[in-house]
């Protein structure tokens, strides 16, 4: 008896391809934002900005929205909303040994030719955690998507045992 029937190769589902593409796009976005942050750290102008809390009140809900205000070397007043997670703004003063209420000033790096492109510089480069987590999430999605889209090899025939 020959039980060596070969299975046809499994085709990947639409969801597997979506997962793979989302992983690739997430990794590209994380690397792009990381390169932009490093560029601002290396060639960006330094200044001091003041962080303020712009809260949105909804019925039974308060959300924290940080707003950074700073003045450029040319005297232009710039306002931007940092993409840094609010928890990192709570951790940063503890690492620097000051409280937010005592001194709400943070170092800001901005591009001199386009000052709206700016970022907040935190202690011990905490602002890079966003990029690392984005890269990890993209890599995870990419690995899952690539595993699901890989065709299964055909089944090899099994040898019968001699008794």
């Amino acid at each position: 008896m020959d039980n060596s029937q070969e299975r046809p190769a499994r085709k990947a589902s639409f969801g597997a391809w979506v997962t793979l593409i989302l992983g690739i796009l997430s990794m590209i976005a994380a690397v792009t934002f990381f390169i932009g942050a490093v560029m601002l750290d290396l060639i960006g102008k330094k200044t001091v900005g003041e962080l303020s809390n712009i809260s949105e009140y909804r019925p039974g809900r308060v959300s924290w929205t940080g707003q950074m205000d700073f003045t450029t070397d040319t005297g232009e007043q710039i306002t931007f909303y940092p993409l840094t997670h609010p928890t990192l703004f709570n951790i940063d003063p503890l690492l620097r040994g000051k409280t937010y209420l005592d001194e709400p000033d943070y170092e800001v790096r901005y591009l001199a030719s386009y000052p709206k492109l700016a970022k907040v510089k935190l202690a011990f480069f905490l602002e890079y955690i966003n990029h690392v987590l984005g890269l990890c999430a993209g890599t995870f999605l990419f690995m899952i998507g690539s595993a699901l889209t890989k065709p299964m090899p055909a089944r090899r025939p099994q040898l019968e045992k001699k008794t």
Side-chain angles (χ1 to χ4, degrees), residues 1-162:
M1 287 201 289
D2 189 21
N3 290 338
S4 61
Q5 297 174 356
E6 291 196 20
R7 287 190 209 170
R10 175 179 56 102
K11 295 199 179 206
S13 68
F14 178 73
W17 286 106
V18 169
T19 304
L20 180 69
I21 291 170
L22 281 176
I24 291 170
L25 292 177
S26 297
M27 288 187 339
I28 289 171
V31 169
T32 302
F33 284 122
F34 178 76
I35 290 171
V38 169
M39 178 205 58
L40 285 173
D41 274 341
L42 295 177
I43 65 171
K45 296 255 185 181
K46 283 187 201 179
T47 190
V48 174
E50 185 173 331
L51 181 68
S52 58
N53 181 9
I54 306 299
S55 294
E56 296 176 5
Y57 292 94
R58 297 184 191 133
R61 190 170 177 160
V62 176
S63 64
W64 190 91
T65 304
Q67 176 181 322
M68 184 65 68
D69 299 309
F70 69 94
T71 306
T72 64
D73 291 344
T74 61
E76 185 180 358
Q77 184 68 28
I78 302 291
T79 298
F80 75 99
Y81 301 98
L83 297 177
T84 307
H85 196 274
T87 306
L88 298 177
F89 286 115
N90 292 335
I91 296 172
D92 179 66
L94 297 173
L95 296 175
R96 288 197 277 166
K98 65 178 186 176
T99 64
Y100 167 73
L101 297 174
D102 293 340
E103 190 177 337
D105 297 333
Y106 289 90
E107 183 180 325
V108 174
R109 301 284 181 117
Y110 67 96
L111 198 58
S113 59
Y114 187 69
K116 291 227 178 233
L117 183 60
K119 79 175 198 91
V120 179
K121 174 97 171 64
L122 298 176
F124 300 112
F125 299 101
L126 281 177
E127 68 271 14
Y128 287 102
I129 289 176
N130 292 339
H131 308 299
V132 171
L133 292 177
L135 186 63
C136 289
T139 303
F140 179 74
L141 287 174
F142 175 75
M143 289 174 61
I144 296 296
S146 63
L148 292 175
T149 56
K150 183 178 178 185
M152 295 287 289
R155 180 181 259 186
R156 294 188 325 194
Q158 294 180 357
L159 299 175
E160 288 186 24
K161 284 187 173 181
K162 293 182 182 181

